[in-house]
Amino acid sequence: MDQNMDIVDLISSLLDAGKYKEALTVPKEEKFFNNFRDNCWDLISIVVSKIQNDTITLKPSLYGTCEQLLSLIIESGHHEEALLEFIEQIEVAKNDAQFSIILNPLQQLLLKLSTKRGRTLECCLNSISTYIEAIPVLDLNLEGKERLLMDSDPNVRRIIHVYSLLPPFYQPFIKELKTNYNENTVQIIASFLISLLGKPFVYIDLDPECNYNGQFRQCCSTIIEDICFLLKNILKLFPYLEDCYKESQKNHQAKTTESINDDFEDPFKHKEKINLTTLSGLYYIIFSEDFAVPDFAVPHIYSNQYITHIILISVVHLLSFVEYSPQTKALSLGTSILKRFPDNASHSLLTVPIHYKLCKILINVSIYSNYDGNRKQAVKLIEMYVNKFNYRGRILVLKYIIDNANHSGMIGYAITLYKNSLDQALKKIDIPECFTGAQLHAMIKKICYLPYGEESDLVELADQIISALNFLRYIVLKDLENKTGIKEFLNFIETDYLHKLRTGLNMSKAHYEAKLKEIDDCKKVQNKNVEVQINIVGTMLENIPTKNKKDIINSALNAFHLIEGLVGRLTECINLIKAQTNTQK
C-alpha cells in the first residue's frame, strides 16, 4: 500500500473511530507533512463522504472536524487540483449537508485564484446549478389558505435551505467586481443567477399575500438585486428570450455551441442555464409587481407594446405547465404586463403570432387546469385581454375563441364578451362597421351554430345556446334603430336556428322524459334487474345509482325548459319587430 493510501486510510479510520483530535493532528505531524501536502486533495472525497444530513445535529464534532480538515486542504498550496476535486464533489454530492460543507472551501479556493480563475468559476457555478436543478419538486395540489402549508413540505424546506446558502457563496465575487470590473465574470455570475430562476424556483409558491416575508421570497429578492446590479439593463436579455422561443417553435433541440478554442463563450447562450423557463422566471420577478425591482434595471427606452409582446412569450411558456405555481406566476405576470398594453390597441397587432398562442393556452387553462382558482383567473385574464383591443381586434380574438375552444361554457363566455362590446358600441353615434351588415351576419352564424342541426347534443351545447339566445334577444330589443342591420337577419335566425332548435328541444325532451319513465317503470317491476342506459354528452352512464341517474336527467330537462323559455321570449321579440316593420310599411 503506497504512502498516499496510508494517509487517506489513516484519517478515514480516525474519523470513523471518533478520534477527531488525532485526525486533525495528522497533517501537522512531520512524518505525514509532505505526504499530506502532495496528496491531500485525495482526502476531499473521503472527508465529504462522512457527512450526512443529520451529522451536524447528531455528531457536531465530526462535522466540525471535517470542516477543519477541508480548510487544511485548501491551505496546502495545491489549489488547482483541490479545486477540481471540490467541483467534482458538488456534482456527486449525495445530500445537502455535503453540498453545504463544500461551498466554503470551494469559495476560498476560487478567491485565491483571482488572477487565473478563468472558466473555473463558470464550471463551478454550472455544477451548483446542476445540483439545484436536480432537487425534486412535487405538485402539492394546495389552493387558497392551504398554500400556507407549502413551506412545511420537506422538499420545499430543502429548496429554501439550499437557496439560502447561495448568496453568501457568490456575493464575494460580485464585491470583487466593484474594484476590479471584468465583463466576462459579470456575464458568468449573472447567467448563473438567472439559471436559479428556473427549476425548482418556478414550482415554489411566492404569493405576496401569503409569503410576503417568507425566507424564499427574501432570498429571491437578494438574487434579483444582484442580477440587476450586474446587468444594469435587464431588458437587454430580450433577444435571448426570443431566440429560445423560436427554437422551441421549431422543436430544435440542438445546443448553441461555439468553438472550444474561443477565449470566451457567451454564457447567455448556454441553453441548459438560459432558456425559456429560467428567463420566464426572471421576467416574472421583474414585471409581475410581486417584487421590488430597482428603477435602473428597467429603462424606459422600450415601448410598452414591444415589452408586452416579448413578455407574453414567458406568460405562454409558464401557462404550459400543469403545476399550480408556474400557472399562478404566469397569470400574475400576464395580468401585470397587460396593464402596460395600450388600451384600444389596433387589431393589426394581432398579426404577431404570440397573441393567438396566448389565447389558445388561456382557453386550455380556463377549462382544464386542475386548480379552480387558476381557472377563474384565466377567465378574467381572457376578458382583460379581449378588452385591450379596438372593436375589430376584439371580434378577431372572440372569433378565434369560438372557433377553437370546443367547450360550450367558453364559447358562451365569448358570446357574452361580444355582447358587452356591442353594447358599448351601440352607445356611440356611429357604430363601428365590424358590428354591422355582413360582418355581423358572419358572427351570428358562428354564435347560432348547431353542428348536427336538430340532432345536436343540446346538453353539451347548453351554455353556448343560452348565451346565444340572450345575445339575440338583447340585440333585437336594444337596436331599435337597426344600426347593426339585425332586422335583415331575422328570417335567418328563425329558419336556420330557432326552428332547428325547437325541433331539437322537442326530440331531446321526449328522449329524456322517456328515459325517466323507463327508470320509474323498472322500479315498479319486482325482481327484475333492468339496466337503463343514459348517454350524456357522448358518455354512457353506467353503474351509477338510480337516484343519480334521475338527478342527471332532471338537470338536463331543466336546461331544456330554460332554453325553451328563452326561445319563446326571443320569438315574441322577433314577431313584435316584424309587426312594427309591417305597420310602418
Side-chain angles (χ1 to χ4, degrees):
M1 187 177 291
D2 60 27
Q3 289 296 314
N4 177 43
M5 290 303 295
D6 286 343
I7 196 169
V8 171
D9 286 346
L10 176 59
I11 292 179
S12 178
S13 61
L14 289 171
L15 291 174
D16 290 340
K19 299 178 180 180
Y20 306 133
K21 290 184 179 180
E22 291 88 334
L24 289 172
T25 60
V26 168
K28 300 173 184 177
E29 292 184 28
E30 185 176 349
K31 61 180 176 179
F32 293 118
F33 182 80
N34 290 334
N35 195 329
F36 179 83
R37 183 193 61 193
D38 295 338
N39 302 289
C40 59
W41 57 85
D42 290 332
L43 277 168
I44 294 174
S45 61
I46 297 298
V47 172
V48 171
S49 69
K50 306 297 182 183
I51 302 299
Q52 304 301 321
N53 278 330
D54 57 2
T55 301
I56 195 169
T57 302
L58 301 180
K59 297 181 179 180
S61 296
L62 172 60
Y63 192 92
T65 301
C66 290
E67 282 187 313
Q68 292 182 60
L69 283 171
L70 294 178
S71 296
L72 290 173
I73 290 171
I74 65 174
E75 292 171 3
S76 66
H78 293 273
H79 299 150
E80 290 85 353
E81 293 88 343
L83 183 60
L84 292 175
E85 182 62 30
F86 275 117
I87 292 174
E88 182 179 344
Q89 288 305 306
I90 281 187
E91 294 174 350
V92 299
K94 293 180 173 59
N95 55 64
D96 296 338
Q98 292 182 4
F99 175 79
S100 175
I101 203 171
I102 293 168
L103 289 181
N104 184 61
L106 183 60
Q107 180 195 68
Q108 297 307 311
L109 281 172
L110 287 169
L111 290 172
K112 288 177 183 294
L113 293 173
S114 58
T115 57
K116 46 183 178 179
R117 195 176 294 151
R119 292 186 182 177
T120 309
L121 175 62
E122 183 175 15
C123 182
C124 170
L125 296 178
N126 285 345
S127 297
I128 293 174
S129 294
T130 301
Y131 178 84
I132 293 173
E133 188 175 346
I135 298 176
V137 180
L138 301 176
D139 193 8
L140 301 178
N141 199 23
L142 300 177
E143 287 192 89
K145 293 183 179 180
E146 292 179 340
R147 294 162 66 185
L148 293 171
L149 300 173
M150 187 174 290
D151 282 356
S152 64
D153 177 74
N155 277 344
V156 174
R157 294 303 307 164
R158 180 187 175 193
I159 293 166
I160 293 173
H161 169 67
V162 171
Y163 268 73
S164 69
L165 299 172
L166 300 179
F169 172 79
Y170 70 75
Q171 284 182 335
F173 305 110
I174 294 179
K175 187 176 181 180
E176 277 186 348
L177 294 169
K178 295 179 181 179
T179 56
N180 186 23
Y181 183 82
N182 182 291
E183 180 65 24
N184 291 352
T185 303
V186 167
Q187 293 188 28
I188 288 171
I189 299 175
S191 63
F192 162 70
L193 295 181
I194 293 170
S195 75
L196 300 177
L197 303 178
K199 179 191 176 187
F201 164 81
V202 296
Y203 296 95
I204 303 300
D205 188 11
L206 290 168
D207 177 59
E209 295 181 5
C210 298
N211 293 298
Y212 186 76
N213 294 314
Q215 184 181 1
F216 194 65
R217 276 186 63 85
Q218 293 177 353
C219 184
C220 291
S221 294
T222 300
I223 290 172
I224 200 63
E225 287 174 8
D226 291 331
I227 293 174
C228 292
F229 168 77
L230 291 167
L231 295 183
K232 311 305 181 195
N233 172 15
I234 296 294
L235 306 191
K236 68 183 180 182
L237 297 181
F238 276 179
Y240 295 97
L241 182 60
E242 289 184 280
D243 288 344
C244 290
Y245 174 68
K246 290 175 183 176
E247 281 195 20
S248 72
Q249 296 304 296
K250 296 176 183 177
N251 293 319
H252 181 58
Q253 301 298 322
K255 300 175 183 176
T256 303
T257 58
E258 298 177 24
S259 170
I260 59 173
N261 296 319
D262 291 346
D263 292 333
F264 182 71
E265 297 180 52
D266 185 351
F268 296 121
K269 290 186 178 180
H270 294 175
K271 295 301 186 290
E272 297 87 350
K273 294 192 297 182
I274 306 300
N275 49 51
L276 274 178
T277 302
T278 58
L279 289 171
S280 295
L282 170 68
Y283 287 123
Y284 156 72
I285 291 181
I286 296 297
F287 288 106
S288 68
E289 301 177 354
D290 289 346
F291 287 83
V293 178
D295 290 337
F296 66 81
V298 187
H300 300 287
I301 58 174
Y302 302 87
S303 72
N304 285 332
Q305 178 181 310
Y306 171 68
I307 291 175
T308 303
H309 282 150
I310 298 299
I311 299 303
L312 286 181
I313 293 173
S314 294
V315 175
V316 169
H317 177 65
L318 291 175
L319 283 174
S320 68
F321 288 74
V322 298
E323 294 82 4
Y324 177 82
S325 289
Q327 286 184 5
T328 303
K329 289 178 175 62
L331 294 167
S332 175
L333 177 58
T335 301
S336 296
I337 203 63
L338 284 180
K339 292 177 183 177
R340 290 172 167 264
F341 201 61
D343 292 327
N344 202 35
S346 172
H347 60 276
S348 62
L349 297 178
L350 290 169
T351 56
V352 180
I354 193 63
H355 285 284
Y356 292 107
K357 294 185 182 299
L358 175 67
C359 266
K360 183 177 181 179
I361 197 70
L362 279 175
I363 291 169
N364 187 64
V365 171
S366 65
I367 297 171
Y368 301 111
S369 174
N370 294 325
Y371 306 98
D372 181 64
N374 285 356
R375 291 196 300 271
K376 291 177 179 177
Q377 188 59 35
V379 170
K380 290 180 181 178
L381 194 55
I382 288 174
E383 179 179 9
M384 180 182 182
Y385 174 71
V386 168
N387 291 333
K388 277 292 179 177
F389 290 95
N390 60 18
Y391 290 121
R392 187 172 173 186
R394 294 183 195 183
I395 292 175
L396 288 172
V397 174
L398 293 172
K399 281 182 177 178
Y400 179 86
I401 295 174
I402 292 171
D403 288 339
N404 293 275
N406 194 29
H407 184 272
S408 178
M410 179 52 62
I411 294 174
Y413 184 66
I415 293 170
T416 299
L417 292 180
Y418 179 77
K419 178 173 75 72
N420 294 343
S421 291
L422 177 59
D423 183 61
Q424 295 176 12
L426 284 172
K427 295 174 183 177
K428 298 180 179 296
I429 297 176
D430 296 319
I431 187 171
E433 184 180 350
C434 57
F435 288 114
T436 65
Q439 295 187 55
L440 175 66
H441 192 200
M443 195 65 176
I444 288 176
K445 282 185 176 180
K446 289 183 178 294
I447 291 172
C448 302
Y449 178 61
L450 297 172
Y452 302 105
E454 298 89 339
E455 298 180 357
S456 298
D457 190 334
L458 301 188
V459 174
E460 181 180 7
L461 298 173
D463 290 337
Q464 177 181 346
I465 292 170
I466 290 169
S467 294
L469 293 172
N470 282 328
F471 163 73
L472 293 172
R473 185 166 181 265
Y474 159 81
I475 191 173
V476 168
L477 290 175
K478 185 74 173 180
D479 189 17
L480 298 176
E481 300 177 12
N482 199 33
K483 292 181 180 180
T484 62
I486 186 62
K487 291 182 180 179
E488 283 71 45
F489 309 129
L490 295 180
N491 287 333
F492 167 81
I493 292 170
E494 281 197 295
T495 56
D496 279 50
Y497 188 58
L498 295 182
H499 176 72
K500 294 178 181 177
L501 191 53
R502 289 190 197 97
T503 304
L505 280 169
N506 291 334
M507 293 167 58
S508 297
K509 283 196 303 179
H511 173 73
Y512 280 89
E513 286 169 353
K515 288 293 182 183
L516 195 60
K517 185 176 184 300
E518 190 176 346
I519 291 174
D520 290 335
D521 289 344
C522 288
K523 290 176 66 178
K524 296 176 183 178
V525 178
Q526 296 295 325
N527 301 320
K528 187 174 181 181
N529 184 18
V530 180
E531 179 65 27
V532 178
Q533 294 184 329
I534 306 172
N535 188 301
I536 299 287
V537 194
T539 302
M540 191 66 68
L541 303 182
E542 299 177 348
N543 301 321
I544 62 173
T546 299
K547 182 181 182 303
N548 290 7
K549 288 183 179 180
K550 291 185 69 173
D551 289 343
I552 292 170
I553 293 174
N554 284 322
S555 177
L557 288 171
N558 288 337
F560 298 152
H561 290 314
L562 174 59
I563 293 171
E564 195 171 38
L566 292 173
V567 169
R569 287 193 287 272
L570 175 59
T571 302
E572 289 176 2
C573 293
I574 291 176
N575 290 337
L576 180 61
I577 294 294
K578 285 185 174 181
Q580 291 175 347
T581 303
N582 292 333
T583 301
Q584 291 172 358
K585 291 180 179 179

